[in-house]
Amino acid sequence: MVDMRMFRDEVTGWAGGGSGGPAGELAELLGVRTVVLLEGLSDLAAVEALAAGRGRDLAAEGVCVVPMGGAMSVGRYAGLLGPSGLGLRLIGLCDEREKPFFDRGLNPAWVPRPSVFVCTADLEDELIRALGVARIEEIVRAEDELRAWQTFMRQPAQHGRPRHQQLRRFIGTKKGRKIRYGRLLVEALAPDQVPTPLDDLLASL
């Protein structure tokens, strides 16, 4: 069965040096009109969770969300998928420190002009501030990671650091944890708690 994941995989292969022919064919077959360029898989988990929570089927709407494996690849992906490539509409979500890569990789003269939504620090920081430390710790406890969290806080490098920063670091310390919490934290948000960059991104689709 042909689905949006196949298109995303073909795009990733194309960006890595593949032919790109299947990607163009799949885009036409699936009716892809917009591509959201993200830095990584945790961002993908968060965007998909928010869309699902709002009853949105992005694939059915012709939207493909693509994790690039780092912001440094944005120029490559934009060239393949944007006006100079497949002619798809491009939208980006990035961390504050990675915005220069998007500024260089997305040509402001392109029509429609690519929109980039920027997170203060990063998306995890946005989500932790939105939910608050106490709620995040409840989620950590529900995930049966309270002992790991307490052990982490006893590390010398964490002494004296604000709890918000400790949580942000904890989420990124174990393989797969950042992706899992990207989904869990979004699912825990009340409608009025959704961080502005994430909310504006979904509204633009």
Side-chain angles (χ1 to χ4, degrees):
M1 178 181 176
V2 176
D3 60 21
M4 198 63 80
R5 285 174 297 182
M6 293 180 62
F7 173 68
R8 187 162 59 209
D9 290 344
E10 287 295 340
V11 167
T12 300
W14 189 14
S19 67
E25 294 169 4
L26 284 170
E28 185 174 353
L29 182 63
L30 294 168
V32 181
R33 59 177 182 82
T34 299
V35 172
V36 181
L37 298 175
L38 306 175
E39 293 182 54
L41 292 172
S42 61
D43 303 314
L44 172 65
V47 171
E48 289 186 334
L50 183 60
R54 292 185 174 177
R56 299 276 301 272
D57 184 343
L58 297 184
E61 297 175 26
V63 177
C64 183
V65 186
V66 177
M68 301 178 293
M72 289 183 291
S73 299
V74 67
R76 174 66 173 161
Y77 278 84
L80 297 175
L81 300 171
S84 59
L86 295 184
L88 304 174
R89 178 188 178 216
L90 300 178
I91 293 175
L93 177 72
C94 69
D95 301 346
E96 192 172 46
R97 67 180 177 274
E98 308 296 356
K99 188 175 183 294
F101 292 110
F102 279 74
D103 290 341
R104 290 192 294 269
L106 299 176
N107 189 334
W110 284 343
V111 179
R113 183 173 181 175
S115 297
V116 178
F117 301 96
V118 182
C119 298
T120 300
D122 54 26
L123 184 55
E124 288 73 32
D125 178 78
E126 294 272 6
L127 292 170
I128 292 169
R129 285 190 289 110
L131 286 165
V133 168
R135 182 70 180 98
I136 302 293
E137 290 183 324
E138 288 177 3
I139 295 169
V140 169
R141 186 179 295 105
E143 289 298 299
D144 198 26
E145 289 200 302
L146 183 60
R147 180 174 295 180
W149 165 233
Q150 292 171 337
T151 299
F152 174 82
M153 286 193 293
R154 288 195 293 269
Q155 295 177 0
Q158 302 307 319
H159 292 172
R161 297 186 71 191
R163 188 61 59 88
H164 169 278
Q165 293 181 13
Q166 292 173 334
L167 279 166
R168 182 177 166 215
R169 178 62 183 146
F170 174 74
I171 288 172
T173 54
K174 182 180 178 181
K175 184 177 181 181
R177 181 183 281 153
K178 193 173 181 181
I179 299 169
R180 179 159 52 95
Y181 278 88
R183 174 181 57 80
L184 289 170
L185 299 190
V186 167
E187 290 176 344
L189 292 168
D192 62 350
Q193 290 180 313
V194 178
T196 298
L198 202 55
D199 193 36
D200 288 349
L201 168 68
L202 201 65
S204 73
L205 300 175

